[in-house]
């Protein structure tokens, strides 16, 4: 919790960043609506809100990536124009985006210098020395010569931070920095942020929807809802419940019941949240498991076991949760069922029929839908329109003579946008223009529209706020209730426990235990998962 030396009240702080009456629209969608706020020197300010509340758009305006229709931006009391990221950087504003902007095949030192201005030759040794010095100062050690593709997610974020910190910015903006980090990596990041604020007096804006981390690291929290500021509170005086109330408004009671937050007078609702879900009986004709993995083995190019004799069965209407520390075979399991990789041995059966994986669209045609862990990497095409992304799994019936029938495309799009409450300016808007939560709804809507017999949901709510998370949970439960078997692969134990009928534990590529949800002991589950990601070679 904050509340120490860095929690000085706003009245005692010099205002470093000021926003006055900032408004921005994307078509009919109001992203920011007359927003005003001040960020003080040495302050860690949380920016909290549901997906689509306007958090990222507002900070992209500050960093010069988006130009608003109206408003004023000041740095140290001096007006700064909008829409020029180079000028914003020169005036001391740096932003680490939610999705990294690194070039994978390049070494760290080249990535760090990509945004440098001028045409002078880059001093490799000087840049490497600077990376080492700044990394040591803030606990962000990384090898300047390492290839980015070889780094872990946490190490890649260090590179993004080093790109910013070597310029010694006055304002550092981080957009959902912990959405892909482990708890240990998040804790290390928070230490860096506190050091920046307390020792160097830098202002930090932390965009997030995670209530606990807001209370842990920030001095004050500003809550946005529907593009407007609804409150700014001292973190030391706030609670998860109070922030959720502000963030969700009238939807709080529904989301709280789904996620187990306290709601006055709703103890029965909380009890229901933690009760084991009911498993729907298999429909007639579905006595055979809808998905079977039989002794699946996948090895790396170096010969290391990635999946080591995996055996799993899922019944119609069942949600099987796979719990484990990230890096223990979950990515390979999802890749196998997405046709991205084939097994070295073993068999995949869908409704009793063997399916050859790793080629074409065999699993998709057999009735397997997939929500991938990284929607941007393999779940959608950001430059394509909302309607086109919604139709990606259903194009076979829309194409005539090699041309997509636009009327059918838009009829499907209109229906799914309405059914899944997707917020978009139009069906023709690029998917990139949607918030993260609405992008995930597009992926979910597309997969469920195909009425799959099996749905693989890998980290389905990663990076989503509690309102969007609750909505996704409800749609997964509804799918199971209609007979879809769901393989839920998640590093979020609360998600596993809330949704699963049975829980399987994956460790070093092996399924080391499977048990009914009602029999799960969380302490034993944690022991089985292990405290760290295991080294497999």
């Amino acid at each position: 919790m904050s509340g120490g030396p860095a929690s000085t009240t706003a009245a005692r702080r010099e205002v470093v960043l000021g926003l006055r009456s900032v408004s921005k629209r994307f078509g009919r969608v109001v992203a920011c609506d007359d927003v005003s706020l001040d960020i003080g020197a040495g302050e860690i300010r949380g920016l909290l809100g549901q997906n689509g509340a306007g958090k990222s758009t507002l900070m992209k305006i500050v960093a010069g990536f988006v130009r608003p229709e109206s408003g004023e931006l000041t740095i140290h009391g001096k007006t700064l124009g909008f829409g020029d990221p180079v000028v914003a950087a020169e005036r001391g504003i740096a932003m680490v985006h939610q999705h990294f902007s690194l070039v994978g095949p390049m070494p760290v030192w080249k990535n760090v210098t990509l945004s440098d201005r001028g045409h002078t030759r880059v001093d490799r040794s000087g840049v490497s020395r600077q990376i080492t010095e700044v990394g040591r100062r803030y606990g962000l050690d990384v090898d300047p010569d390492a290839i980015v593709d070889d780094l872990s997610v946490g190490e890649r974020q260090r590179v993004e931070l080093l790109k910013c910190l070597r310029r010694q910015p006055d304002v550092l903006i981080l957009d959902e920095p912990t959405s892909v980090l482990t708890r240990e990596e998040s804790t290390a990041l928070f230490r860096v942020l506190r050091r920046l604020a307390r020792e160097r007096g830098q202002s930090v804006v932390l965009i997030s929807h995670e209530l606990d981390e807001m209370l842990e690291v920030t001095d004050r929290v500003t809550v946005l809802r529907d593009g407007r500021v609804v409150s700014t509170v001292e973190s030391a005086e706030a609670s998860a419940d109070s922030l959720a109330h502000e963030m969700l408004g009238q939807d709080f009671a529904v989301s709280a019941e789904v996620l187990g937050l306290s709601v006055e007078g709703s103890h029965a609702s909380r009890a229901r949240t933690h009760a084991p879900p009911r498993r729907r009986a298999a429909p007639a004709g579905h006595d055979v498991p809808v998905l079977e993995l039989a002794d699946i083995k996948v090895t790396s190019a170096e010969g290391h076991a990635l999946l080591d004799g995996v055996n799993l069965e899922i019944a119609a209407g069942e949600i099987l949760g796979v719990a484990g520390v990230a890096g223990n075979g979950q990515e390979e399991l999802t890749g196998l069922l997405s046709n991205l990789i084939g097994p070295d041995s073993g068999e995949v059966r869908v409704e009793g029929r063997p399916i050859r994986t790793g080629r074409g669209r065999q699993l998709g045609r057999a009735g397997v839908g997939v929500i991938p862990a990284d929607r941007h990497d393999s779940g959608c095409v950001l430059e394509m329109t909302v309607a086109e992304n919604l139709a990606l799994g259903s194009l076979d019936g829309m194409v005539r003579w090699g041309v997509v029938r636009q009327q059918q495309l838009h009829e499907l799009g209109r229906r799914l946008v309405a059914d899944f409450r997707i917020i978009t300016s139009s069906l023709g808007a690029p998917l990139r223009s949607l918030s993260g939560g609405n992008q995930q709804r597009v992926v979910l809507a597309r997969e469920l529209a195909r009425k799959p017999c099996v749905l693989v949901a890998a980290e389905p709510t990663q990076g989503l706020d509690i309102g969007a998370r609750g909505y996704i949970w409800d749609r997964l439960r509804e799918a199971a209730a209609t007979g879809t078997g769901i393989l839920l692969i998640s590093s979020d134990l609360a998600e596993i426990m809330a949704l699963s009928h049975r829980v399987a534990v994956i460790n070093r590529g092996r399924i080391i235990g499977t048990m009914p949800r009602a029999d799960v002991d969380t302490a034993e589950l944690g022991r089985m998962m292990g405290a760290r990601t295991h080294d497999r070679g």
Side-chain angles (χ1 to χ4, degrees), residues 22 35 56 60 266 308 321 350 363 378 403 415 432 462 493:
V22 172
V35 174
S56 296
K60 287 178 181 177
S266 67
D308 191 3
V350 178
L363 282 165
S378 55
V403 178
R415 176 169 61 82
R432 183 181 296 281
Q462 180 173 272
L493 275 183

Side-chain angles (χ1 to χ4, degrees), residues 182-320:
T182 65
R183 181 60 191 171
E184 291 76 13
E185 290 169 333
S186 297
T187 300
L189 173 64
F190 294 161
R191 284 197 297 267
V192 172
L193 299 185
R194 292 189 187 99
R195 189 175 303 171
L196 289 171
R198 294 177 181 176
E199 296 180 10
R200 298 191 58 85
Q202 288 174 278
S203 302
V204 178
V205 180
L206 177 64
I207 302 173
S208 181
H209 58 262
E210 294 291 344
L211 305 179
D212 290 340
E213 72 182 32
M214 279 290 176
L215 295 172
E216 179 179 349
V217 73
T218 64
D219 300 308
R220 289 191 295 167
V221 178
T222 294
V223 181
L224 292 179
R225 192 192 316 145
D226 298 326
R228 297 184 66 89
V229 173
V230 295
S231 66
T232 296
V233 298
E234 295 285 334
S235 303
E237 299 171 3
S239 67
D241 279 359
S242 67
L243 291 178
H245 267 291
E246 296 288 354
M247 187 170 88
L248 297 172
Q250 293 179 343
D251 293 332
F252 172 70
V254 176
S255 296
E257 180 175 350
V258 171
L259 298 174
L261 290 170
S262 62
V263 182
E264 187 176 355
S266 67
H267 298 293
S269 296
R270 294 189 69 192
R272 281 198 303 275
T273 300
H274 295 286
R278 292 183 179 180
R279 175 173 165 180
R280 185 184 186 276
H286 282 266
D287 296 332
V288 174
V290 291
L291 178 68
E292 297 172 85
L293 303 184
D295 199 26
I296 295 291
K297 294 185 179 181
V298 174
T299 57
S300 68
E302 296 77 22
H304 303 138
L306 303 175
L307 293 177
D308 191 3
V310 169
N311 291 282
L312 286 175
E313 290 186 359
I314 303 176
E318 178 184 30
I319 302 177
L320 174 64

Side-chain angles (χ1 to χ4, degrees), residues 20 57 158 183 454 514 517:
R20 294 290 174 270
T57 298
R158 293 181 193 178
R183 181 60 191 171
V454 178
T514 303
R517 157 66 178 84

Side-chain angles (χ1 to χ4, degrees), residues 5-20:
S7 297
T8 311
T9 62
R12 300 177 188 173
R13 298 181 187 273
E14 172 202 358
V15 174
V16 174
L17 172 66
L19 289 171
R20 294 290 174 270

Side-chain angles (χ1 to χ4, degrees), residues 355-412:
I355 305 295
R356 297 186 68 181
T357 65
R359 57 169 57 194
R361 298 168 54 193
Q362 298 297 316
L363 282 165
R365 289 182 176 134
V368 178
V370 179
I371 301 172
D374 187 338
R375 58 180 175 268
H376 287 181
D377 181 58
S378 55
C380 58
V381 184
L382 293 174
E383 303 309 325
M384 290 175 64
T385 68
V386 172
E388 289 166 342
N389 272 277
L390 285 168
L392 282 177
S394 309
L395 285 175
D396 287 348
M398 295 184 188
V399 177
R400 185 176 186 182
W401 307 113
V403 178
V404 176
R405 297 177 177 180
Q406 293 299 308
Q407 182 177 350
Q408 286 181 265
L409 180 79
H410 284 86
E411 284 176 358
L412 174 67

Side-chain angles (χ1 to χ4, degrees), residues 15-46:
V15 174
V16 174
L17 172 66
L19 289 171
R20 294 290 174 270
S21 302
V22 172
S23 295
K24 175 63 182 176
R25 287 176 175 267
F26 294 100
R28 292 172 294 176
V29 177
V30 180
C32 298
D33 188 4
D34 196 34
V35 174
S36 297
L37 59 88
D38 291 325
I39 309 294
E43 176 184 8
I44 302 178
R45 173 70 67 88

